[in-house]
Amino acid sequence: MELGTLNQAFQEVEDSKPVEDIPTTTHVQLEEKVADPPANEYTQIKPYAGMPKEVLLLYSSQACYRVPREILFWLIVACTLTLVALTISVVALSPRCLSWWQVSPVYQVYPRSFRDSDGDGVGDIKGIQEMLGHFEYLNIKSVWISPIYRSPMRDLGYDVEDFRAIDPLFGTMQDFDDLLAEMHKLGLKLIMDFIPNHTSDKHRWFNLSRAREPHYEDYYVWADCSATGPKPNNWVSMFGNSSWTYDEVRGQCYLHQFLKKQPDLNFRNPRVRQEMLDIISFWLDKGVDGFRMDSVKHLLEAAHLRDEPQVDPDKPPESVVSEWDLHHDFTTTQLGLHDLLREWRAQMDDFSREPGRYRLMVTESQDGPEVEKTMMYYGTPLTKESDFPFNFYLLDLPQNTSGLWVKHLVNLWMANMPTGRWANWLVGNHNIPRVASRAGQRYMRVINMLLLTLPGTPTTYYGEEIGMENINVTESQIQDPAGRYNASASRDPQRSPMQWSADPNAGFNNKTNMTWLPVHPNYSRVNVEVQKQDEGSVLSQYRLLNTLRQSELPLQRGWFCYIHADRGVFAYLRELDGLDRAFLLVLNFGHESAVTDLSAITELPGRLRVLISTNRANDGKVFSKSLIATEAGEGLMIEFSSRARFNTNHPGMCYVSEKACYLAAMDILYTC
Ligand code: BGC
Ligand code: MG
C-alpha cells in the first residue's frame, strides 16, 4: 500500500467519526506524523511499521473492526478446543497396540529335552541357541525356558541352589548371555522360570538358617518337633506325606510343600522378600523379558499352623497322606499373597518403562474349580499383578471330547476373566501327560486350531506343534522324583527328547547314543524335518494358523462370538468392527462326522468357502450354511465378508441361542 493510500485511510477514519470524539492532541499529532513521516529507510520500505499507538487505539476502539476480530478469535479458540477434544477421544477410543506377549504364542522349552549340543544326553543352552531357527519358522516370538539355575536336580531344576547361577549341566552364564543376545537380535523374547516358594536344601541360605546364623534364622518356616515325635500339624506335601521334616542340625522341623529337598522360604520375613526382589532385578538387568512365576499359591502359610480340615472327616488322621486328603485352607492363597505379587509386578514395571521393553509376568497356580481364586492373579483395575495367570482349564479337554464340553471350558475363562484383561490357553506342560496321547492324535490338529483362533495368548509345550506323544518309561528309567514316590505320578512320559528329524536320537543330539530319557519310537514319522515337507502335517498347519493369527486382526483382537455347540461341534466367529474379513470356526471334537446348520446366523452368507481345513483335502470346499459337514477331529476355518457392526443393522452383540460374545479389541470384555 502506498503512503498516500494510508493517508486516505486515515482520512476516512477521521471522516467517519465526529471530530469531538477524537482527542485534539491525537488529531494534531496524527496530522504531524502522517504529514511528515521520519525519513528513514525502514518507514520507506514498510510504511506500516511506523503506525503510531494512537492510530492503533483508534482502530481498535471502532466496533466495525472489533466485532469480526472477536468472532474470529472465538472461532479459532472453539476450533482448537474441538481439535484437541477430537484427538483425545480418538486416542482414548483406539485400541491399544498389542504388546509382544499378546501377538505371539508362548513356546515352552523344557531345556533338558530340547536339544543337546554337547552330547552328554541332556539338553542345554547352546542347544536352544542352535534351534532358534525353529521359532522363526513357526513365527513364534516368545520363548519360556523352564529352570536352568544351579540345582542339585532333585526336582530337575525346580530346586534351586543359586538363583544367580546357571547349572553346569545346561552351560555357563556366558552361554546364557549369548543366547539372550542372539534371541534379541532375532526379535525373540526370553521368559525365565522364577521359583520363589522354595529353594534347594543345598542353598546357602538353608545351611545358614539351620545353623541359626543371625540374619538367616527365619529365612525358612521352622516349627518345634522332635526326631521321632509327631509332626507340628497334619499338612501334607504336594508330592505326598507330611510336609514337615526334622532337621538334626537345628533340632526343629522345616516346612516343604513339595519335596523334602525343597524347603519353603518364609515370606513373612522382609529380608526374604528383599532377596527375591534383588533376584528379579538381577535377571531383568540382564535383559530377560519376563517371568513365569512358579507355584505362587503356596508362597505363604498360616502362621498359626493349625491342622487343615480333612476332605473326609471320618477317616483316621493317619490316612491323610496326599494333597487330595485335605482342604488347603492354611497352606495356599493366604492373606498377603497378593501383596507379594504386587511388589514383584511393581519391580517389573520399573524395568518396563524403557520403550519396547515390557516385562511379562505370568503366574502359575492351579486352583481347580475355584476359578475366582485364579482370576485374582490378574489383580484389580488399580493394581495389576500378572499379565495373565495360566489357564489350566483346557487341560481337561481330553476328558470328554465334545463341542459342548470344549465350549464349557472356554467359557469358564471368558465368563470369569475381569473386564479388560487378556485371556490365555494351554493344553499341556511338563507336569501333564501329552495332549496327543490323552485326546488321541486324531484331535491334535483341531486342538491347535482352537488354541490359535481363540482370543488371547496360547502357550505351546515343546513338541505339541508336531503332535508328540508320551513315552513309556520303565521303573529303571524313571528320572522324575515324583515318579519315585509313585510310578504313576511320574512326569517323565511328557518330557522326552524333542523329535527334530529321523536321524539317530531324533536329532536331539548327534554325538552319542545317549539321551536322558528315551526318544519316542514314533520319531521317524513324527518329527520336524519330515513334517516340514508335508503340507497337511500338524506342524505345517500350526505354522499356517499361527501366521494367520498374527496377520489377521480379527483373529488377533476381534470379537469372539459363540454361535453353536453340540455333542460334536463347537463353532464361533472372530470379527472386528470396520474390517470386512471375518472368520467362522467350525471345530468337530466329537467321535462322529457331523453336519452343522448355521442358517439361524443371519450375518453369515448363504455359501461358505473353507479357507483351511485340518483335513487338507477339504480346503476350498464350499458349503451351504445350513449344511456344514465336518469329520470327527476336523476343524474348518471359513473366511467370510462381514458387514461391519457399526455400519449395518447388525443383530447386536448376541447371536442366536448362545447369547454371548466377547470383545478383545479395545481391551474391553462385553457379555450380552
Ligand atoms: C512346577 C513343577 C515343580 C513344582 C515345584 C510346579 O509348579 O511346574 O514342575 O515340581 O512346581 O517347584
Ligand atoms: Mg548337554
Side-chain angles (χ1 to χ4, degrees), residues 116 118 120 122-124 169:
D116 171 21
D118 59 8
D120 63 357
V122 181
D124 43 53
L169 191 67

Side-chain angles (χ1 to χ4, degrees), residues 465-516:
E465 74 278 30
I466 53 172
M468 269 174 66
E469 294 172 25
N470 289 340
I471 51 163
N472 288 324
V473 179
T474 61
E475 196 101 27
S476 64
Q477 289 168 327
I478 288 182
Q479 300 282 335
D480 179 17
R484 296 209 187 97
Y485 282 95
N486 166 5
S488 70
S490 167
R491 296 165 293 179
D492 294 326
Q494 60 264 27
R495 297 176 176 179
S496 67
M498 175 69 181
Q499 293 161 211
W500 293 106
S501 67
D503 294 341
N505 293 341
F508 168 66
N509 60 19
N510 38 22
K511 296 207 178 88
T512 68
N513 229 359
M514 191 177 75
T515 58
W516 77 286

Side-chain angles (χ1 to χ4, degrees), residues 386-419:
S386 325
D387 291 291
F388 54 77
F390 270 138
N391 172 358
F392 291 115
Y393 292 105
L394 283 182
L395 291 179
D396 290 342
L397 187 150
Q399 277 174 23
N400 169 3
T401 45
S402 87
L404 282 164
W405 177 243
V406 176
K407 189 202 147 190
H408 161 75
L409 296 177
V410 167
N411 197 43
L412 263 179
W413 199 266
M414 297 310 286
N416 288 293
M417 183 171 72
T419 306

Side-chain angles (χ1 to χ4, degrees), residues 527-554:
N527 71 60
V528 173
E529 209 172 84
V530 163
Q531 292 198 10
K532 272 188 184 174
Q533 313 308 319
D534 171 7
E535 267 205 1
S537 66
V538 179
L539 181 73
S540 300
Q541 295 214 342
Y542 183 101
R543 179 176 187 239
L544 179 62
L545 286 167
N546 187 33
T547 306
L548 267 179
R549 182 184 173 277
Q550 288 174 56
S551 61
E552 294 293 346
L553 284 177

Side-chain angles (χ1 to χ4, degrees), residues 172-287:
T172 61
M173 190 57 93
Q174 189 56 52
D175 294 341
F176 175 82
D177 292 340
D178 292 348
L179 172 70
L180 183 60
E182 184 63 16
M183 285 181 67
H184 283 171
K185 212 164 87 193
L186 297 172
L188 301 169
K189 305 287 184 181
L190 194 160
I191 302 158
M192 294 286 274
D193 221 304
F194 179 62
I195 303 114
N197 177 64
H198 43 261
T199 67
S200 153
D201 62 347
K202 297 280 179 293
H203 197 291
R204 191 177 64 95
W205 300 337
F206 190 67
N207 282 324
L208 294 167
S209 191
R210 72 208 308 202
R212 293 182 189 267
E213 285 294 332
H215 193 101
Y216 293 97
E217 198 168 341
D218 297 325
Y219 261 46
Y220 294 83
V221 182
W222 295 98
D224 288 339
C225 76
S226 65
T228 50
K231 294 285 155 58
N233 58 30
N234 73 346
W235 297 355
V236 286
S237 132
M238 298 291 289
F239 291 135
N241 299 323
S242 173
S243 53
W244 295 99
T245 292
Y246 180 73
D247 177 57
E248 289 193 349
V249 180
R250 177 145 164 166
Q252 270 190 315
C253 275
Y254 64 87
L255 178 80
H256 51 89
Q257 295 222 47
F258 293 88
L259 296 174
K260 266 187 197 142
K261 305 275 178 189
Q262 293 171 301
D264 269 48
L265 283 164
N266 172 16
F267 276 95
R268 299 192 190 279
N269 180 344
R271 289 183 203 270
V272 171
R273 293 165 83 124
Q274 191 53 49
E275 295 274 14
M276 282 302 157
L277 285 170
D278 293 347
I279 289 162
I280 290 174
S281 295
F282 174 84
W283 291 100
L284 294 179
D285 262 336
K286 274 193 173 289

Side-chain angles (χ1 to χ4, degrees), residues 298-357:
H298 294 103
L299 286 172
L300 289 168
E301 299 77 26
H304 55 58
L305 302 187
R306 287 207 294 271
D307 277 0
E308 286 188 321
Q310 285 182 209
V311 170
D312 181 351
D314 298 333
K315 278 196 172 168
E318 316 78 74
S319 70
V320 171
V321 287
S322 100
E323 58 161 322
W324 311 111
D325 297 329
L326 294 175
H327 293 292
H328 299 288
D329 295 353
F330 304 140
T331 52
T332 62
T333 327
Q334 297 298 292
L335 206 67
L337 161 65
H338 289 278
D339 296 332
L340 276 172
L341 294 170
R342 282 195 280 268
E343 229 168 84
W344 297 344
R345 177 72 250 179
Q347 180 88 344
M348 297 182 72
D349 282 347
D350 277 352
F351 283 85
S352 300
R353 292 219 179 92
E354 220 179 303
R357 298 293 286 116

